[in-house]
């Protein structure tokens, strides 16, 4: 056993420090479910003080540390080398305070997102971050990746939901920015540096988050649309008519909708599979009766004027779950095709149709049996592409990535709207950020983590 692991066990005990062998019994990823954790040791602190003391020891001994939450990251951000120590926040999992007057909740970083949602719902509140990985991902991981999810259209991304943050720097310094106010202009807003920093600048230990009132109405429909141009108009009208009740506007191209509603998918189609586009739209509100009237009126008027070709409204919890499963059951793609390359690009809504058509046709020229599935958070300008060309070698991966990412630079898009850079997208960061921006990122990293022990090699080269 290495000197540092012995030292850590002596100081914090066996429960807080798992050895290489013990850690190796755990999965390395709750996304791929492939491979076991391969690290020098796994630290499981129970308090911020322990995180600070552990990091101080690691920093003094130049020991690399990989912060870990629920391990649902999809860009290699939580991968460890056998020489690196993993630091999991799983035991810092308390909801410390639900403050109804301020509408804030104070949590430790290891609280699982779904646990927080459930606990707040029991108290009449909503934490409006929602994503497919909610059963595993943790608030610290959500903040470190600035997660977006299914309700960002209305409530914003994680960055917009965080009021205060407590972070431990690489050398063990505790930075407490546990602010509860919406407005605080006393100097730099330091917490913003750590939101979306992918474990490279500090370990997030606690946070103060905004809560909303639990909605009393939920109206959800799948609608079929005959052209992309019509989906843009539908989004504009929905924002105007349903106002801030409009919470999700998820667009599914025919390829994705077809895959999700034909066997081996267990889900039948709520609408025929013949339309080019499908929108899953949802509005949340506080008045069940009038909200339903408003939602139904909106759909009826656009069925009449032809903007909507067909519509199915969820009439029960069962139907609501069914509709959302069609949107969220992305794992199905991996059981049907292997390998699959996954993308989460961001771009202006007006560029989406042209961009998708262009890259699909260019990829098809090379791989005639290409599988290309498109869907995503259209309302947020963020799309997911799942591409399978039957090959998984490095040259193929490189070429597909180049063909997907390079056109984004010309239209001012981003190589990632949600998942972050991690390990997988480092070589493409320069397409979405200027050389000066990357230089400044590196300078900030140097100040906060001069020895480069935190999540080395991720995000920045
Ligand atoms: C089925 C599925 C659906 C998804 N849907 C979405 C979606 O809609 N929107 C979206 O944005 N993402 C989505 N994701 C990606 C992922 O779930 C999110 O990025 C999530 O926020 C990661 O949280 P986690 O706790 O699993 O973090 P992890 O995967 O454990 O870590 C993520 C990153 O944060 C760092 N980190 C973790 N905890 C801390 C901490 N306490 N302090 C500092 N750094 C830390 C890690 O080093 C790593 O770089 C999805 C993933 C899956 C598998």
């Amino acid at each position: 056993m290495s000197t540092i692991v012995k030292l850590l066990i002596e100081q914090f005990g066996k429960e807080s420090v798992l050895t290489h062998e013990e850690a190796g019994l755990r999965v390395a990823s709750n996304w791929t479910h492939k491979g076991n954790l391969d690290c020098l040791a796994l630290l499981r602190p129970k308090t911020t003080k322990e995180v600070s003391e552990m990091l101080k020891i690691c920093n003094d001994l130049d020991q690399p540390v990989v912060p870990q939450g629920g391990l649902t990251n999809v860009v290699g951000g939580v991968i460890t080398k056998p020489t690196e120590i993993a630091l999991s926040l799983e035991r810092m999992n308390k909801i410390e305070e639900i403050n109804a007057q301020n509408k804030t909740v104070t949590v430790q970083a290891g609280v699982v997102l779904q646990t927080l949602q459930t606990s707040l719902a029991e108290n009449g509140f909503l934490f409006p971050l929602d994503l497919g990985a909610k059963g595993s991902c943790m608030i610290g991981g959500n903040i470190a990746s600035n997660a977006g999810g299914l309700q960002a259209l209305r409530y914003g991304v994680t960055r917009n939901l965080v009021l205060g943050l407590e972070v431990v720097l690489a050398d063990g310094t505790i930075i407490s920015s546990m602010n509860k106010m919406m407005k605080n202009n006393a100097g730099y807003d330091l917490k913003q540096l750590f939101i979306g920093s992918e474990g490279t600048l500090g370990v997030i230990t606690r946070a103060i988050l905004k809560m909303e009132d639990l909605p009393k109405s939920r109206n959800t429909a799948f609608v079929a649309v005959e052209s992309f141009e019509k989906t843009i108009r539908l989004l504009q009208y929905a924002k105007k008519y349903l106002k801030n009740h409009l919470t999700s506007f998820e667009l599914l191209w025919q390829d994705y909708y077809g895959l999700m509603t034909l066997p081996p998918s267990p889900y039948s189609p709520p609408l025929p599979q013949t339309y080019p586009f499908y929108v899953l739209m949802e509005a949340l509100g506080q008045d069940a009766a009038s909200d339903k009237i408003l939602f139904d009126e909106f759909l009826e008027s656009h069925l009449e004027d032809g903007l909507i070709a067909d519509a199915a409204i969820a009439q029960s919890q069962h139907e609501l779950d069914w509709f959302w499963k069609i949107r969220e059951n992305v794992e199905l793609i991996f059981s049907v095709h292997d390998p699959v390359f996954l993308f989460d690009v961001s771009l202006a809504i007006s560029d989406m149709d042209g961009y998708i058509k262009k890259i699909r046709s260019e990829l098809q020229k090379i791989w005639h049996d290409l599988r290309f599935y498109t869907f995503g958070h259209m309302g947020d300008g963020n799309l997911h592409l799942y591409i399978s060309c039957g090959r998984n070698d490095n040259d193929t991966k490189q070429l597909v990535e180049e063909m997907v990412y390079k056109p984004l630079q010309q239209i001012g898009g981003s190589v990632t709207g949600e998942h972050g850079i991690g390990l997988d997208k480092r070589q493409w960061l320069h397409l979405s950020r200027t050389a000066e921006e990357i230089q400044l990122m590196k300078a900030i990293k140097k100040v906060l983590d001069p020895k480069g022990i935190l999540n080395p090699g991720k995000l920045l080269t």
Side-chain angles (χ1 to χ4, degrees), residues 30-31 66-74 77-78 89 109 130-133 136-142 144-150 198-199 202-205 330-331 377 384 418-419 455:
N30 277 322
W31 163 235
V66 178
Q68 294 189 335
L71 304 177
T72 65
N73 179 275
V74 297
V78 282
L89 279 294
D130 197 19
L131 42 110
S136 305
C137 65
M138 296 175 186
I139 295 300
N142 298 147
S145 17
N146 187 28
L150 302 162
E198 301 186 37
V203 175
I204 295 158
T205 44
V330 289
E331 279 90 357
H377 320 292
H384 297 300
E418 290 193 320
H419 299 157
N455 221 359

Side-chain angles (χ1 to χ4, degrees), residues 27-93:
V27 290
S29 163
N30 277 322
W31 163 235
T32 59
H33 300 286
K34 284 181 192 152
N36 282 23
L37 199 53
D38 189 9
C39 56
L40 190 62
L42 172 70
L43 306 181
R44 302 165 67 233
K46 275 208 311 212
T47 61
T48 303
K49 188 165 168 281
E50 275 189 4
V51 175
S52 161
E53 289 165 355
M54 286 170 171
L55 283 181
K56 184 165 181 353
I57 291 173
C58 293
N59 194 56
D60 288 348
L61 297 174
D62 297 326
Q63 171 59 53
V65 176
V66 178
Q68 294 189 335
L71 304 177
T72 65
N73 179 275
V74 297
V75 289
V78 282
I79 289 177
T80 50
K81 291 184 186 147
T83 49
E84 293 173 338
I85 283 184
L87 189 150
S88 169
L89 279 294
E90 65 192 16
R91 290 208 295 168
M92 292 187 62
N93 58 4

Side-chain angles (χ1 to χ4, degrees), residues 250-294:
E250 300 286 307
L251 182 62
L252 286 66
W253 268 247
Q254 187 183 35
D255 44 36
Y256 184 78
Y257 181 81
L259 181 79
M260 291 298 153
T261 55
L262 282 168
S265 168
Y267 307 110
S268 57
L271 296 170
Q273 286 133 337
T274 46
Y275 297 100
F277 299 99
Y278 299 83
V279 177
L280 179 56
M281 44 186 299
E282 187 162 276
L284 303 179
Q286 292 300 334
D287 186 328
S290 67
D291 294 344
K292 174 141 182 57
I293 293 171
L294 198 74

